[in-house]
Amino acid sequence: MPLLVQKYGGTSVGSIERIKQVAAKIIRAKRVGHDVVVVVSAMAGETNRLLGLAHEIAEIPDEREKDVLLASGEQVSVALLTLALKEVGQPARSYLGHQVRIETDSAYGKARILSIDSTKIVQAIKAGDVVVVAGFQGVDEDDNITTLGRGGSDTSAVALAAFLNAEACEIYTDVDGVFTADPGICPQARKLARISYDEMIELASTGAKVLEIRSVEFAKNYSVPVHVRSTFSDVEGTWLVNEEESMNDVLVSGVASDKNEAKITLVRVPDQPGLAAQIFGPIADAHIVVDMIIQNASEDGTTDLTFTVPKADHKKALSIMEKALPAVHAKGITVDTEIAKVSVVGVGMRTHAGVAAKMFQVLAAEGINIEMISTSEIKISVVINAKYTELAVRVLHEAFIGKQGTV
Ligand code: ASP
Ligand code: MG
């Protein structure tokens, strides 16, 4: 029978009532002839609650123990969903990450999946069970519990779909699919029927919260068809697919914003070889992901070096930088947490010029100052003051996508 991997997020399993609805949905997929492996997140709010507990004890909790704690959220939801399936007569079985050996590296809090041993899952499917696997968690080679990073259940699901060679991976969530912008910010936003993996990677990395970025990278690398759709309706959602010719006609597919980064500036560092390496080496060793980096041209042999890191890591980055300050001869360090990154994304940019110029004009017309700029082949991102985020998204959507359908 064709195998479907279905993933249900925190809101979809946020109450007992909803867990029962999810069970009914899984059974419908079984009835129409699918084998089903289900991945679930922790119940809505649970991961934050657990995180709060850890932070009541320590400002920077020990990373190994934090993962042990956070992984418990998904243990509750797999058990409850499996009970709900059994209660209505559907044989089912739950597994935690370490039980099916979702093996990861040892980067606590942001571990990468290296391999999955599908033996037990395949056996259970053959026996007619629905297999319910805890998302977001794995185990390293020394049997330490690891977690994959916030929103990591998406990656668990796509990785399972890849390793089990599933027909598709359905990501059930509380929205209807991937939109041209966040409908909460931009009422004109529309659902996309299809989007390429590359555009989705850029959108996810620039703040579109519907899918976790690593899951999309995984989907791309293994060509897993991913269908993002709503738990609460049966309408078609958005398909993530390989790039198609027709997609090039659309200049901008989506506008995204992200308020989860902080900007750190090292003031007046000497402009000499090896300095950037000295600064970013320790940051990388601490597994902090640097996003944008800007180094100004030097006039007096010194230069300001500005970069962004996830807000959650900015204190850690700051303490590393403070230690490094004397060695890199910086005059000082400043931090700004009130920033936002706003991005436009579209594969059409590969073949069309002028998108950046238009973006800057649109922002200038609103008096919005651009603090940093970065680009890729199919994306332009700017850092602006956080208070202009919503305005920027709306005017960019209006300018590039407008009211009429490009989808
Ligand atoms: N429960 C985890 C989180 O809140 C993983 C997930 O939801 O995908 O980030
Ligand atoms: Mg989630």
Side-chain angles (χ1 to χ4, degrees):
M1 275 198 284
L3 173 69
L4 265 187
V5 173
Q6 298 188 329
K7 180 257 172 179
Y8 293 92
T11 6
S12 306
V13 294
S15 66
I16 296 301
E17 205 39 55
R18 288 196 167 169
I19 288 174
K20 287 180 182 172
Q21 285 168 13
V22 165
K25 213 162 172 116
I26 294 166
I27 289 168
R28 285 207 294 282
K30 266 301 259 183
R31 292 235 172 91
V32 299
H34 287 105
D35 284 327
V36 187
V37 170
V38 184
V39 174
V40 282
S41 297
M43 294 170 82
E46 185 59 14
T47 308
N48 283 340
R49 188 185 71 87
L50 295 167
L51 208 51
L53 293 177
H55 282 286
E56 278 181 40
I57 293 177
E59 195 187 345
I60 303 177
D62 178 85
E63 299 197 312
R64 180 184 187 277
E65 301 316 319
K66 191 168 82 179
D67 275 10
V68 173
L69 176 70
L70 294 191
S72 70
E74 273 72 10
Q75 178 159 358
V76 171
S77 52
V78 288
L80 290 175
L81 179 59
T82 307
L83 284 172
L85 285 162
K86 285 175 167 296
E87 194 58 24
V88 290
Q90 171 60 52
R93 181 177 285 257
S94 69
Y95 285 111
L96 301 179
H98 70 87
Q99 291 177 303
V100 283
R101 223 165 161 90
I102 298 181
E103 196 166 311
T104 70
D105 62 21
S106 304
Y108 295 119
K110 48 188 88 163
R112 275 186 184 272
I113 295 177
L114 303 173
S115 66
I116 298 177
D117 176 3
S118 54
T119 321
K120 278 187 193 150
I121 298 176
V122 171
Q123 270 169 8
I125 293 171
K126 281 210 180 110
D129 287 347
V130 165
V131 179
V132 183
V133 182
F136 179 54
Q137 56 176 265
V139 63
D140 75 1
E141 62 174 345
D142 296 322
D143 291 330
N144 298 300
I145 303 286
T146 55
T147 66
L148 310 182
R150 300 308 302 268
S153 302
D154 293 343
T155 301
S156 310
V158 174
L160 274 162
F163 282 99
L164 294 168
N165 222 345
E167 177 175 284
C169 180
E170 295 184 322
I171 306 277
Y172 284 94
T173 178
D174 51 358
V175 293
D176 283 341
V178 180
F179 282 70
T180 51
D182 179 347
I185 295 179
C186 181
Q188 288 184 354
R190 290 183 318 275
K191 186 176 73 189
L192 292 152
R194 303 163 85 71
I195 187 167
S196 70
Y197 294 122
D198 285 334
E199 284 170 311
M200 196 62 230
I201 288 169
E202 295 286 13
L203 281 175
S205 71
T206 52
K209 277 169 272 308
V210 58
L211 271 179
E212 196 248 353
I213 182 162
R214 281 189 186 171
S215 68
V216 193
E217 287 165 356
F218 226 107
K220 182 188 173 186
N221 291 342
Y222 291 85
S223 287
V224 179
V226 176
H227 188 185
V228 183
R229 58 192 311 190
S230 168
T231 314
F232 309 110
S233 80
D234 288 323
V235 296
E236 280 275 307
T238 303
W239 280 92
L240 270 58
V241 293
N242 281 309
E243 194 170 321
E244 295 158 358
E245 194 65 43
S246 64
M247 290 175 172
N248 284 312
D249 301 339
V250 182
L251 223 52
V252 170
S253 311
V255 181
S257 63
D258 185 357
K259 290 185 187 172
N260 288 314
E261 288 187 8
K263 191 176 79 168
I264 297 180
T265 300
L266 288 173
V267 184
R268 316 255 321 261
V269 290
D271 192 10
Q272 65 193 33
L275 232 108
Q278 239 175 307
I279 291 166
F280 293 110
I283 299 262
D285 292 343
H287 299 291
I288 297 174
V289 180
V290 175
D291 182 16
M292 290 193 200
I293 302 175
I294 286 190
Q295 188 191 310
N296 297 333
S298 72
E299 281 172 23
D300 57 351
T302 67
T303 172
D304 287 356
L305 204 143
T306 304
F307 58 96
T308 62
V309 294
K311 237 183 219 174
D313 286 334
H314 90 274
K315 285 189 186 152
K316 200 156 91 180
L318 204 58
S319 77
I320 292 170
M321 283 298 94
E322 270 157 3
K323 272 189 216 118
L325 223 49
V328 300
H329 304 290
K331 292 279 174 307
I333 189 164
T334 62
V335 187
D336 186 355
T337 53
E338 293 306 307
I339 59 158
K341 181 173 65 169
V342 175
S343 312
V344 297
V345 172
V347 289
M349 279 182 218
R350 282 203 186 113
T351 44
H352 296 80
V355 177
K358 182 167 170 183
M359 181 182 194
F360 303 154
Q361 278 157 15
V362 168
L363 295 173
E366 300 297 329
I368 299 172
N369 184 42
I370 298 169
E371 298 175 23
M372 300 173 85
I373 302 168
S374 83
T375 62
S376 80
E377 231 187 330
I378 62 165
K379 175 205 73 178
I380 303 163
S381 297
V382 296
V383 166
I384 59 172
N385 188 312
K387 71 180 176 199
Y388 297 122
T389 315
E390 288 75 14
L391 175 64
V393 170
R394 268 185 235 123
V395 292
L396 290 169
H397 191 277
E398 175 76 43
F400 284 109
I401 300 171
K403 294 189 182 73
Q404 295 308 310
T406 45
V407 288

